[in-house]
Short mmCIF file of all heavy atoms in Angstrom, two decimals:
data_model
loop_
_atom_site.label_atom_id
_atom_site.label_comp_id
_atom_site.label_asym_id
_atom_site.label_seq_id
_atom_site.Cartn_x
_atom_site.Cartn_y
_atom_site.Cartn_z
N MET A 1 95.85 27.39 -9.18
CA MET A 1 96.07 27.26 -7.74
C MET A 1 97.33 26.44 -7.47
O MET A 1 97.55 25.39 -8.08
CB MET A 1 94.87 26.57 -7.09
CG MET A 1 94.96 26.48 -5.57
SD MET A 1 94.75 28.08 -4.77
CE MET A 1 93.02 28.41 -5.16
N ASN A 2 98.19 26.92 -6.58
CA ASN A 2 99.33 26.13 -6.13
C ASN A 2 99.30 26.07 -4.60
O ASN A 2 98.42 26.64 -3.96
CB ASN A 2 100.65 26.68 -6.67
CG ASN A 2 101.01 28.03 -6.08
OD1 ASN A 2 100.23 28.64 -5.35
ND2 ASN A 2 102.19 28.52 -6.39
N LEU A 3 100.26 25.37 -4.01
CA LEU A 3 100.21 25.15 -2.56
C LEU A 3 100.33 26.43 -1.75
O LEU A 3 99.64 26.60 -0.75
CB LEU A 3 101.30 24.15 -2.16
CG LEU A 3 101.00 22.68 -2.47
CD1 LEU A 3 102.22 21.81 -2.20
CD2 LEU A 3 99.81 22.19 -1.64
N SER A 4 101.21 27.32 -2.18
CA SER A 4 101.38 28.57 -1.44
C SER A 4 100.09 29.39 -1.42
O SER A 4 99.69 29.92 -0.37
CB SER A 4 102.50 29.41 -2.07
OG SER A 4 103.73 28.76 -1.96
N LEU A 5 99.42 29.47 -2.57
CA LEU A 5 98.17 30.22 -2.65
C LEU A 5 97.05 29.50 -1.91
O LEU A 5 96.20 30.14 -1.28
CB LEU A 5 97.79 30.44 -4.12
CG LEU A 5 96.60 31.35 -4.39
CD1 LEU A 5 96.78 32.72 -3.74
CD2 LEU A 5 96.38 31.52 -5.90
N TYR A 6 97.04 28.19 -1.96
CA TYR A 6 96.03 27.40 -1.24
C TYR A 6 96.15 27.65 0.27
O TYR A 6 95.14 27.87 0.95
CB TYR A 6 96.22 25.92 -1.55
CG TYR A 6 95.20 25.02 -0.90
CD1 TYR A 6 93.98 24.76 -1.52
CD2 TYR A 6 95.46 24.42 0.34
CE1 TYR A 6 93.04 23.92 -0.92
CE2 TYR A 6 94.53 23.59 0.94
CZ TYR A 6 93.32 23.34 0.30
OH TYR A 6 92.39 22.52 0.89
N ILE A 7 97.39 27.65 0.77
CA ILE A 7 97.60 27.92 2.20
C ILE A 7 97.10 29.30 2.56
O ILE A 7 96.42 29.50 3.58
CB ILE A 7 99.10 27.76 2.54
CG1 ILE A 7 99.54 26.31 2.39
CG2 ILE A 7 99.40 28.27 3.95
CD1 ILE A 7 101.04 26.11 2.45
N TYR A 8 97.43 30.28 1.72
CA TYR A 8 97.00 31.67 1.98
C TYR A 8 95.48 31.79 2.01
O TYR A 8 94.91 32.42 2.93
CB TYR A 8 97.58 32.58 0.91
CG TYR A 8 97.02 33.99 0.91
CD1 TYR A 8 97.52 34.95 1.79
CD2 TYR A 8 95.99 34.35 0.06
CE1 TYR A 8 97.00 36.23 1.82
CE2 TYR A 8 95.46 35.63 0.07
CZ TYR A 8 95.97 36.57 0.95
OH TYR A 8 95.44 37.84 0.96
N LYS A 9 94.82 31.18 1.03
CA LYS A 9 93.36 31.32 0.95
C LYS A 9 92.66 30.63 2.11
O LYS A 9 91.66 31.12 2.63
CB LYS A 9 92.86 30.77 -0.38
CG LYS A 9 93.23 31.66 -1.57
CD LYS A 9 92.34 31.40 -2.77
CE LYS A 9 92.54 32.48 -3.82
NZ LYS A 9 91.57 32.38 -4.93
N GLU A 10 93.18 29.48 2.51
CA GLU A 10 92.56 28.77 3.63
C GLU A 10 92.80 29.51 4.95
O GLU A 10 91.93 29.54 5.81
CB GLU A 10 93.12 27.35 3.72
CG GLU A 10 92.69 26.43 2.60
CD GLU A 10 91.19 26.19 2.60
OE1 GLU A 10 90.58 26.21 3.69
OE2 GLU A 10 90.62 25.99 1.51
N MET A 11 93.96 30.12 5.09
CA MET A 11 94.29 30.81 6.35
C MET A 11 93.66 32.19 6.42
O MET A 11 92.99 32.53 7.40
CB MET A 11 95.81 30.92 6.51
CG MET A 11 96.24 31.63 7.79
SD MET A 11 98.04 31.79 7.93
CE MET A 11 98.51 30.08 8.10
N VAL A 12 93.87 33.00 5.38
CA VAL A 12 93.42 34.40 5.42
C VAL A 12 91.99 34.54 4.92
O VAL A 12 91.19 35.28 5.48
CB VAL A 12 94.37 35.28 4.58
CG1 VAL A 12 93.90 36.72 4.56
CG2 VAL A 12 95.79 35.18 5.12
N GLY A 13 91.68 33.82 3.84
CA GLY A 13 90.35 33.97 3.25
C GLY A 13 89.26 33.24 3.99
O GLY A 13 88.15 33.76 4.16
N ALA A 14 89.55 32.01 4.42
CA ALA A 14 88.52 31.19 5.05
C ALA A 14 88.70 31.01 6.55
O ALA A 14 87.85 30.41 7.21
CB ALA A 14 88.48 29.81 4.38
N ASN A 15 89.82 31.51 7.11
CA ASN A 15 90.11 31.38 8.55
C ASN A 15 90.13 29.92 9.01
O ASN A 15 89.77 29.61 10.16
CB ASN A 15 89.09 32.16 9.39
CG ASN A 15 89.26 33.66 9.23
OD1 ASN A 15 90.38 34.16 9.13
ND2 ASN A 15 88.14 34.39 9.18
N ARG A 16 90.54 29.03 8.11
CA ARG A 16 90.64 27.62 8.47
C ARG A 16 92.12 27.30 8.68
O ARG A 16 92.80 26.79 7.79
CB ARG A 16 90.02 26.74 7.38
CG ARG A 16 88.51 26.91 7.31
CD ARG A 16 87.85 25.94 6.37
NE ARG A 16 88.15 26.22 4.98
CZ ARG A 16 87.41 25.80 3.96
NH1 ARG A 16 86.33 25.06 4.19
NH2 ARG A 16 87.74 26.08 2.72
N TYR A 17 92.60 27.60 9.87
CA TYR A 17 94.02 27.49 10.15
C TYR A 17 94.49 26.04 10.16
O TYR A 17 95.63 25.75 9.76
CB TYR A 17 94.35 28.17 11.48
CG TYR A 17 94.13 29.66 11.45
CD1 TYR A 17 92.93 30.22 11.87
CD2 TYR A 17 95.13 30.50 10.97
CE1 TYR A 17 92.73 31.59 11.82
CE2 TYR A 17 94.94 31.88 10.93
CZ TYR A 17 93.73 32.42 11.35
OH TYR A 17 93.54 33.77 11.29
N GLY A 18 93.63 25.14 10.62
CA GLY A 18 94.01 23.74 10.63
C GLY A 18 94.24 23.20 9.23
O GLY A 18 95.19 22.45 8.97
N ILE A 19 93.37 23.59 8.30
CA ILE A 19 93.50 23.15 6.91
C ILE A 19 94.79 23.70 6.32
O ILE A 19 95.53 22.99 5.63
CB ILE A 19 92.28 23.62 6.08
CG1 ILE A 19 90.97 23.08 6.68
CG2 ILE A 19 92.44 23.19 4.63
CD1 ILE A 19 90.88 21.59 6.70
N SER A 20 95.06 24.98 6.58
CA SER A 20 96.27 25.60 6.02
C SER A 20 97.53 24.97 6.61
O SER A 20 98.54 24.82 5.91
CB SER A 20 96.27 27.11 6.28
OG SER A 20 96.34 27.39 7.67
N MET A 21 97.48 24.55 7.87
CA MET A 21 98.64 23.91 8.49
C MET A 21 98.92 22.55 7.85
O MET A 21 100.07 22.17 7.64
CB MET A 21 98.43 23.76 10.00
CG MET A 21 98.51 25.08 10.77
SD MET A 21 98.25 24.86 12.54
CE MET A 21 99.69 23.89 12.95
N VAL A 22 97.86 21.81 7.55
CA VAL A 22 98.04 20.51 6.88
C VAL A 22 98.66 20.72 5.51
O VAL A 22 99.58 20.00 5.10
CB VAL A 22 96.69 19.76 6.77
CG1 VAL A 22 96.87 18.51 5.91
CG2 VAL A 22 96.18 19.39 8.15
N ALA A 23 98.14 21.71 4.76
CA ALA A 23 98.71 22.01 3.44
C ALA A 23 100.16 22.46 3.58
O ALA A 23 101.00 22.14 2.73
CB ALA A 23 97.88 23.10 2.76
N GLY A 24 100.46 23.18 4.65
CA GLY A 24 101.84 23.60 4.89
C GLY A 24 102.75 22.41 5.16
O GLY A 24 103.89 22.37 4.70
N LEU A 25 102.23 21.42 5.89
CA LEU A 25 103.01 20.21 6.15
C LEU A 25 103.33 19.47 4.85
O LEU A 25 104.43 18.93 4.68
CB LEU A 25 102.25 19.29 7.11
CG LEU A 25 102.21 19.73 8.57
CD1 LEU A 25 101.31 18.78 9.37
CD2 LEU A 25 103.62 19.74 9.16
N VAL A 26 102.36 19.43 3.94
CA VAL A 26 102.59 18.79 2.64
C VAL A 26 103.68 19.54 1.88
O VAL A 26 104.56 18.92 1.25
CB VAL A 26 101.28 18.75 1.83
CG1 VAL A 26 101.56 18.24 0.41
CG2 VAL A 26 100.25 17.87 2.52
N THR A 27 103.64 20.86 1.95
CA THR A 27 104.68 21.67 1.28
C THR A 27 106.05 21.38 1.88
O THR A 27 107.04 21.24 1.15
CB THR A 27 104.36 23.17 1.41
OG1 THR A 27 103.02 23.42 0.93
CG2 THR A 27 105.34 24.00 0.59
N VAL A 28 106.11 21.29 3.21
CA VAL A 28 107.38 20.97 3.87
C VAL A 28 107.87 19.59 3.45
O VAL A 28 109.06 19.38 3.19
CB VAL A 28 107.22 21.04 5.41
CG1 VAL A 28 108.46 20.49 6.10
CG2 VAL A 28 106.97 22.47 5.85
N PHE A 29 106.94 18.64 3.34
CA PHE A 29 107.30 17.28 2.92
C PHE A 29 107.88 17.29 1.51
O PHE A 29 108.88 16.61 1.23
CB PHE A 29 106.07 16.38 2.99
CG PHE A 29 106.33 14.97 2.54
CD1 PHE A 29 107.07 14.11 3.33
CD2 PHE A 29 105.84 14.53 1.33
CE1 PHE A 29 107.32 12.80 2.91
CE2 PHE A 29 106.09 13.23 0.90
CZ PHE A 29 106.82 12.36 1.70
N MET A 30 107.26 18.06 0.62
CA MET A 30 107.79 18.17 -0.74
C MET A 30 109.17 18.82 -0.73
O MET A 30 110.05 18.45 -1.51
CB MET A 30 106.82 18.97 -1.63
CG MET A 30 105.49 18.27 -1.86
SD MET A 30 104.34 19.23 -2.88
CE MET A 30 105.15 19.18 -4.47
N GLY A 31 109.36 19.80 0.16
CA GLY A 31 110.68 20.42 0.30
C GLY A 31 111.72 19.43 0.77
O GLY A 31 112.87 19.45 0.31
N LEU A 32 111.33 18.53 1.68
CA LEU A 32 112.26 17.50 2.15
C LEU A 32 112.65 16.55 1.03
O LEU A 32 113.80 16.13 0.92
CB LEU A 32 111.63 16.71 3.31
CG LEU A 32 111.46 17.47 4.62
CD1 LEU A 32 110.71 16.61 5.64
CD2 LEU A 32 112.82 17.88 5.18
N ILE A 33 111.68 16.22 0.17
CA ILE A 33 111.98 15.37 -0.99
C ILE A 33 112.99 16.06 -1.90
O ILE A 33 113.92 15.43 -2.41
CB ILE A 33 110.68 15.06 -1.76
CG1 ILE A 33 109.76 14.18 -0.91
CG2 ILE A 33 110.99 14.37 -3.09
CD1 ILE A 33 108.41 13.90 -1.56
N VAL A 34 112.81 17.38 -2.09
CA VAL A 34 113.77 18.14 -2.90
C VAL A 34 115.16 18.07 -2.28
O VAL A 34 116.16 17.85 -2.98
CB VAL A 34 113.30 19.60 -3.04
CG1 VAL A 34 114.42 20.47 -3.63
CG2 VAL A 34 112.05 19.68 -3.91
N MET A 35 115.25 18.24 -0.96
CA MET A 35 116.55 18.22 -0.29
C MET A 35 117.20 16.83 -0.39
O MET A 35 118.42 16.71 -0.56
CB MET A 35 116.40 18.62 1.17
CG MET A 35 115.99 20.07 1.39
SD MET A 35 117.10 21.22 0.53
CE MET A 35 118.67 20.86 1.30
N VAL A 36 116.39 15.77 -0.28
CA VAL A 36 116.93 14.42 -0.44
C VAL A 36 117.48 14.24 -1.85
O VAL A 36 118.57 13.67 -2.06
CB VAL A 36 115.85 13.37 -0.13
CG1 VAL A 36 116.32 11.97 -0.55
CG2 VAL A 36 115.48 13.38 1.34
N PHE A 37 116.74 14.75 -2.83
CA PHE A 37 117.17 14.67 -4.22
C PHE A 37 118.50 15.39 -4.42
O PHE A 37 119.43 14.87 -5.05
CB PHE A 37 116.08 15.27 -5.12
CG PHE A 37 116.44 15.35 -6.57
CD1 PHE A 37 116.76 14.21 -7.29
CD2 PHE A 37 116.46 16.57 -7.23
CE1 PHE A 37 117.09 14.28 -8.64
CE2 PHE A 37 116.79 16.65 -8.57
CZ PHE A 37 117.11 15.50 -9.28
N VAL A 38 118.62 16.57 -3.84
CA VAL A 38 119.86 17.34 -3.95
C VAL A 38 121.01 16.63 -3.24
O VAL A 38 122.14 16.57 -3.76
CB VAL A 38 119.67 18.76 -3.37
CG1 VAL A 38 121.00 19.50 -3.29
CG2 VAL A 38 118.68 19.56 -4.24
N ASN A 39 120.74 16.06 -2.07
CA ASN A 39 121.79 15.34 -1.35
C ASN A 39 122.27 14.12 -2.12
O ASN A 39 123.47 13.78 -2.08
CB ASN A 39 121.27 14.91 0.03
CG ASN A 39 121.21 16.06 1.01
OD1 ASN A 39 121.99 17.01 0.90
ND2 ASN A 39 120.28 16.00 1.95
N ILE A 40 121.37 13.43 -2.80
CA ILE A 40 121.76 12.29 -3.62
C ILE A 40 122.69 12.74 -4.74
O ILE A 40 123.71 12.09 -5.02
CB ILE A 40 120.51 11.59 -4.21
CG1 ILE A 40 119.72 10.89 -3.09
CG2 ILE A 40 120.91 10.57 -5.28
CD1 ILE A 40 118.40 10.31 -3.53
N LEU A 41 122.36 13.87 -5.37
CA LEU A 41 123.22 14.40 -6.42
C LEU A 41 124.60 14.76 -5.88
O LEU A 41 125.62 14.50 -6.51
CB LEU A 41 122.57 15.63 -7.07
CG LEU A 41 121.29 15.39 -7.88
CD1 LEU A 41 120.74 16.72 -8.40
CD2 LEU A 41 121.56 14.45 -9.05
N GLN A 42 124.62 15.38 -4.70
CA GLN A 42 125.90 15.74 -4.09
C GLN A 42 126.73 14.51 -3.73
O GLN A 42 127.95 14.48 -3.92
CB GLN A 42 125.67 16.60 -2.85
CG GLN A 42 125.17 18.00 -3.15
CD GLN A 42 124.90 18.80 -1.89
OE1 GLN A 42 124.49 18.25 -0.87
NE2 GLN A 42 125.13 20.10 -1.95
N ARG A 43 126.05 13.47 -3.24
CA ARG A 43 126.77 12.24 -2.87
C ARG A 43 127.36 11.58 -4.10
O ARG A 43 128.49 11.09 -4.09
CB ARG A 43 125.80 11.28 -2.16
CG ARG A 43 126.51 10.11 -1.47
CD ARG A 43 125.54 9.24 -0.71
NE ARG A 43 124.82 10.02 0.30
CZ ARG A 43 123.51 10.23 0.28
NH1 ARG A 43 122.78 9.76 -0.71
NH2 ARG A 43 122.94 10.92 1.24
#
C-alpha cells in the first residue's frame, strides 16, 4: 500500500472522502518537502 492507492481505496472503495482528503494533504505536504529539497540543491 502507498499513499496514492490509499487515497483511491478510501475515496472509491469506502466512500470516505474526508479520510482520502486528509491522506491527500499528507501527500501534498511530502511533495512540498521534495520541492524544498530541490530548491536547496538549486540554491
